[in-house]
Amino acid sequence: MISTVINQELSIEYPIFQGGMAWVADASLASAVSNAGGLGLIAAMNSNGEQLRAEIKKCKEMTDKPFGVNIMLMSPFADEVADVVIEEGIKVVTTGAGNPGKYMEKWLEAGIKVIPVVPSTALARRMEKLGAFAVIAEGGESGGHVGELTTMALVPQVVDAVNIPVIAAGGIADGRQVAACFMLGAVGVQVGTRFLVANECTIAQEYKDKILKAKDIDTVVTGKRLGHPVRCLKSSYTREYTKAEYNSSVVSDEELEAMGAGVLRLAAREGDVKNGCVLAGQVASMVTKEEPCRDIILDLFTEAEKVLGGASKWVK
Amino acid sequence: MISTVINQELSIEYPIFQGGMAWVADASLASAVSNAGGLGLIAAMNSNGEQLRAEIKKCKEMTDKPFGVNIMLMSPFADEVADVVIEEGIKVVTTGAGNPGKYMEKWLEAGIKVIPVVPSTALARRMEKLGAFAVIAEGGESGGHVGELTTMALVPQVVDAVNIPVIAAGGIADGRQVAACFMLGAVGVQVGTRFLVANECTIAQEYKDKILKAKDIDTVVTGKRLGHPVRCLKSSYTREYTKAEYNSSVVSDEELEAMGAGVLRLAAREGDVKNGCVLAGQVASMVTKEEPCRDIILDLFTEAEKVLGGASKWVK
């Protein structure tokens, strides 16, 4: 089976992370992914310190395998959750939406492996200098907050830029894509969208149904004008938003910002997928089945092993 | 060496196409790529019928290897160039920016292999039904006119959607990316940006220099508001354009359209890379050396063979 520095050093079975999706990645999903042989991640984005601590404690009751926490650096609670992960003995922290520099020293002292999500070679290099164990090079085909560079373009450039392991994210929903990421030089993958419809994922059924029905051209990026683009499924909400986005002299940045507030929670937790925002990657259309996390991981790696094993068939 | 249905059926040495880049892909570049073992393509976009005929005749003098013509279906000259390729005995036609349906019957009767560029599974299926020999699944990380789906997300979905060969395009500048595309199910690649700096490419040196100096985050997509997005390198031109694009109640669609007229020719042919538009893919930052087409193709496939040959090292 596939084995790299990632699963070996993190004491997990397969080199796969579950994306730290806000309003999605709770103890239920994270523990299920960890029990299934990957690295589950609790998203700290929408939690204050004590809420995160409660979720971590819950997760510890649901699995004895390693799991991590994803910290969104823009969060107003970033300072307190940065301490909670230390106090709770979390071994892996992934970070998004910014530079985790101010927390690195204490995390490293606590023995935490820090693995930042990076959208560019410059940030990857900075993270390596600060002591990151690895980086997650995330392409803009992923769901949620996205960078401009795609997985195909970004991963090999990050691999060349740093000497630490690189995990690929964005556009990965089957074993062919896992194998492709290995060809690009990655030694692990992070998967988000496919785990949205895992049995153990607690989001609203309406959200899952929208993923299951998505076609290949159904995602759109909103929020570029404000400098924080987000990929989601097209809906009446995104049509309204896009119209407003292109009308900067009528709809101010503040008004546009307000249009984005609370819309993910509305879709993920209340199931309002019309007025809410259904974050998803471009591979939503490849996700067609609800199943346990274990089946998802086995399917990904069984196919990847087969594809990688047969790679030399092209070379005559 | 790597060998697939693409090089075998088209009687070329390597399964690689040079992108049919407007104002770039002339007889000089196309013949050089064909002489180097790939499939060179003349871009018909900016030519009327007689101009294209002259370029084809010139190319025939420069190579005795097969080469093709790329027809941009939005061109006002599409009808006449569609006949010229038949009259000149061209064996491969690639198409972009639309549905080549109205020309398919006469092209197929003339024995031409038609290979449309597709940004989605729906268009891929339609092209297969019309008799396309193969499709080029082009991800949005490519330069010039782009679709939304990235190579990583698009290629396997197109592979699953059709029973004809799939060529991958977008984000391919080195052998790792060629290998990754094969993992995704492609049996050939199309490369654009890297050929921009080929010795045999006749564009202005200023354009080449801008490619050679590009960083990973230097491309931007303009034109989304008008429904025909284009990827290019950031410049004072793109900054002005983007500002106008987000201001729909002040800058009309017609005015925005006018801002895009002639800007590619200005950059590619006159070397004005400040007021002109330098089309390029996200991998521009991986292109760091001017060299002959033959060296580019050998480098791509030597590395791809090595990477594919070693793929099974991950599987323990």
Side-chain angles (χ1 to χ4, degrees):
Chain A
M1 57 185 272
I2 291 174
S3 183
T4 74
V5 61
I6 293 298
N7 56 293
Q8 290 157 18
E9 292 284 320
L10 302 184
S11 306
I12 55 178
E13 198 179 346
Y14 292 99
I16 181 173
F17 288 16
Q18 155 247 316
M21 302 168 279
W23 294 106
V24 173
D26 57 10
S28 173
L29 182 60
S31 64
V33 170
S34 287
N35 284 330
L39 187 80
L41 284 152
I42 294 172
M45 187 190 188
N46 45 303
S47 316
N48 63 29
E50 289 319 302
Q51 288 166 328
L52 175 64
R53 193 189 308 276
E55 206 64 27
I56 291 173
K57 285 187 187 297
K58 199 171 153 191
C59 198
K60 283 176 182 169
E61 280 164 25
M62 299 171 84
T63 184
D64 53 6
K65 302 270 172 62
F67 64 90
V69 171
N70 174 260
I71 298 183
M72 189 61 104
L73 297 161
M74 295 189 317
S75 162
F77 306 113
D79 286 351
E80 51 183 280
V81 300
D83 287 332
V84 168
V85 294
I86 296 173
E87 290 154 18
E88 292 298 323
I90 293 295
K91 297 289 175 226
V92 182
V93 166
T94 66
T95 62
N99 183 335
K102 63 190 276 203
Y103 308 121
M104 284 297 276
E105 203 177 312
K106 61 179 169 188
W107 284 344
L108 296 177
E109 261 173 35
I112 294 175
K113 290 188 167 73
V114 185
I115 309 184
V117 175
V118 298
S120 68
T121 54
L123 191 59
R125 274 195 208 95
R126 282 210 295 279
M127 295 303 102
E128 179 181 34
K129 268 193 203 128
L130 287 174
F133 170 74
V135 288
I136 300 168
E138 183 177 76
E141 51 268 81
S142 71
H145 287 270
V146 291
E148 178 73 16
L149 287 161
T150 71
T151 302
M152 186 68 71
L154 177 65
V155 171
Q157 297 193 65
V158 172
V159 167
D160 290 344
V162 297
N163 292 304
I164 52 177
V166 176
I167 294 164
I172 307 168
D174 79 6
R176 291 171 294 186
Q177 291 158 330
V178 174
C181 290
F182 276 76
M183 294 294 94
L184 298 175
V187 289
V189 292
Q190 176 166 291
V191 169
T193 303
R194 190 155 173 196
F195 284 121
L196 284 171
V197 302
N199 292 345
E200 300 92 339
C201 180
T202 62
I203 57 171
Q205 188 61 40
E206 293 87 346
Y207 197 118
K208 293 187 179 185
D209 288 343
K210 203 152 158 87
I211 301 290
L212 293 167
K213 280 184 222 145
K215 295 210 192 77
D216 58 342
I217 55 168
D218 282 354
T219 75
V220 64
V221 172
T222 60
K224 273 204 177 173
R225 195 182 103 196
L226 298 177
H228 44 77
V230 163
R231 184 175 299 283
C232 49
L233 292 177
K234 289 174 188 165
S235 67
S236 49
Y237 164 73
T238 64
R239 276 187 291 277
E240 285 302 308
Y241 187 99
T242 301
K243 211 193 288 173
E245 190 165 15
Y246 283 129
N247 208 344
S248 60
S249 57
V250 169
V251 183
S252 71
D253 286 1
E254 291 69 28
E255 290 169 302
L256 202 58
E257 191 81 47
M259 285 182 77
V263 289
L264 170 57
R265 194 196 52 76
L266 191 62
R269 290 292 147 196
E270 297 186 27
D272 183 349
V273 296
K274 203 173 154 239
N275 303 301
C277 184
V278 176
L279 303 191
Q282 290 188 347
V283 290
S285 45
M286 298 176 74
V287 175
T288 55
K289 191 161 73 167
E290 294 180 72
E291 56 192 336
C293 289
R294 178 73 182 169
D295 290 359
I296 293 173
I297 292 178
L298 285 183
D299 178 63
L300 286 166
F301 281 89
T302 305
E303 188 182 20
E305 284 162 19
K306 198 178 129 197
V307 172
L308 287 168
S312 57
K313 77 176 170 183
W314 303 110
V315 187
K316 301 271 155 80
Chain B
M1 58 185 271
I2 290 173
S3 183
T4 75
V5 60
I6 294 298
N7 57 293
Q8 291 157 17
E9 292 284 320
L10 302 185
S11 305
I12 55 179
E13 197 179 346
Y14 292 99
I16 180 172
F17 288 17
Q18 155 246 317
M21 301 168 280
W23 294 106
V24 174
D26 58 9
S28 173
L29 182 59
S31 64
V33 170
S34 287
N35 284 331
L39 187 79
L41 284 151
I42 294 173
M45 186 188 189
N46 46 302
S47 315
N48 63 29
E50 289 320 302
Q51 288 166 329
L52 176 64
R53 194 189 307 278
E55 206 64 27
I56 291 172
K57 286 186 188 300
K58 200 169 151 194
C59 198
K60 284 176 182 168
E61 279 163 27
M62 299 172 85
T63 184
D64 53 6
K65 300 271 171 62
F67 63 90
V69 171
N70 173 259
I71 299 183
M72 189 61 104
L73 297 161
M74 294 189 319
S75 162
F77 305 115
D79 285 352
E80 52 185 277
V81 299
D83 286 332
V84 168
V85 293
I86 296 173
E87 292 154 18
E88 293 298 324
I90 293 297
K91 296 291 177 225
V92 181
V93 167
T94 65
T95 62
N99 183 335
K102 64 190 275 205
Y103 308 121
M104 284 297 276
E105 202 176 312
K106 62 180 169 189
W107 284 344
L108 296 177
E109 260 172 37
I112 294 175
K113 289 189 168 73
V114 185
I115 309 185
V117 175
V118 298
S120 68
T121 55
L123 192 58
R125 276 194 207 95
R126 282 209 296 279
M127 295 303 101
E128 179 181 33
K129 268 192 203 130
L130 288 174
F133 169 74
V135 288
I136 300 168
E138 184 177 75
E141 50 268 82
S142 70
H145 287 271
V146 290
E148 177 71 17
L149 287 160
T150 71
T151 301
M152 185 68 72
L154 178 64
V155 171
Q157 297 194 64
V158 172
V159 166
D160 290 344
V162 298
N163 293 304
I164 52 178
V166 176
I167 294 164
I172 307 168
D174 80 7
R176 292 172 293 185
Q177 291 158 330
V178 174
C181 290
F182 275 77
M183 294 294 94
L184 297 175
V187 290
V189 293
Q190 175 165 292
V191 170
T193 303
R194 189 156 173 194
F195 284 121
L196 285 171
V197 301
N199 291 345
E200 301 93 339
C201 179
T202 62
I203 56 171
Q205 189 61 40
E206 293 86 347
Y207 198 117
K208 293 186 179 186
D209 289 344
K210 202 153 159 85
I211 301 290
L212 294 167
K213 280 183 223 145
K215 294 209 193 78
D216 58 342
I217 54 168
D218 281 355
T219 75
V220 64
V221 172
T222 60
K224 272 205 177 171
R225 193 181 104 195
L226 298 177
H228 45 77
V230 164
R231 185 176 297 284
C232 49
L233 292 177
K234 289 173 187 166
S235 66
S236 49
Y237 164 73
T238 64
R239 274 186 292 277
E240 285 302 306
Y241 188 98
T242 301
K243 212 192 291 173
E245 190 164 15
Y246 283 129
N247 207 345
S248 60
S249 57
V250 169
V251 183
S252 71
D253 286 1
E254 292 69 27
E255 290 168 302
L256 202 60
E257 191 81 47
M259 284 183 77
V263 288
L264 170 58
R265 193 197 53 73
L266 191 62
R269 291 293 146 197
E270 297 186 27
D272 182 350
V273 295
K274 203 173 154 240
N275 303 303
C277 183
V278 177
L279 303 191
Q282 289 189 348
V283 290
S285 44
M286 298 176 74
V287 175
T288 55
K289 190 162 73 168
E290 293 181 71
E291 57 193 335
C293 289
R294 178 73 182 168
D295 290 358
I296 292 173
I297 292 178
L298 286 183
D299 177 62
L300 284 167
F301 282 89
T302 305
E303 188 183 18
E305 284 163 18
K306 199 178 127 201
V307 172
L308 287 168
S312 56
K313 77 175 167 180
W314 302 110
V315 186
K316 300 272 153 83

